[in-house]
Amino acid sequence: MNIPQEQIEELKRTFGNVQYGEEGGFIFFLILSLLLPEGCEPKMVDVLLCPVPRDGYPSRLFFSEAIKTPTPRNWNTQNVRILERNWWAFSWKLEHTDLRLIQLVSAHLRGLR
């Protein structure tokens, strides 16, 4: 998948320190110290966006740890090793696949509420 540079720049403008990586044929965007929605604990974590289909999901947002949320989530991915770090993800399937990178992050974060 070819990600438009303008979308990558938009991620960087919004979140600051964003890094790109590839592993196992998947692309990832690492966002450091992302502030999570109200009611989440911890309030800030690193996240890893995979904007391409993976694990039966059209996109995934991985977290540096499982998050305590106002409504409990199914953290069906735990300690998966990607780009030399362990990551967690909850079951959250987005219906729209034509979203910009920034919209993907926001849509995944809505699942924490």
Side-chain angles (χ1 to χ4, degrees), residues 17-29:
N17 193 356
V18 175
Q19 300 169 19
Y20 173 85
E22 292 185 35
E23 184 175 279
F26 298 100
I27 58 174
F28 299 96
F29 293 94

Side-chain angles (χ1 to χ4, degrees), residues 3 5 10 20 23 39 43 53 70 79 83 97-98 103 105:
I3 305 290
Q5 188 62 36
E10 184 178 40
Y20 173 85
E23 184 175 279
K43 296 178 189 305
N79 285 314
L83 299 174
T97 58
D98 59 345
Q103 293 171 317
V105 173

Side-chain angles (χ1 to χ4, degrees), residues 57-59 92-97 99 103-104 107-108 110:
Y57 294 85
S59 64
W92 185 256
K93 192 175 270 189
L94 301 179
E95 294 180 21
H96 301 287
T97 58
L99 300 175
Q103 293 171 317
L104 280 176
H108 281 286
R110 277 195 296 277

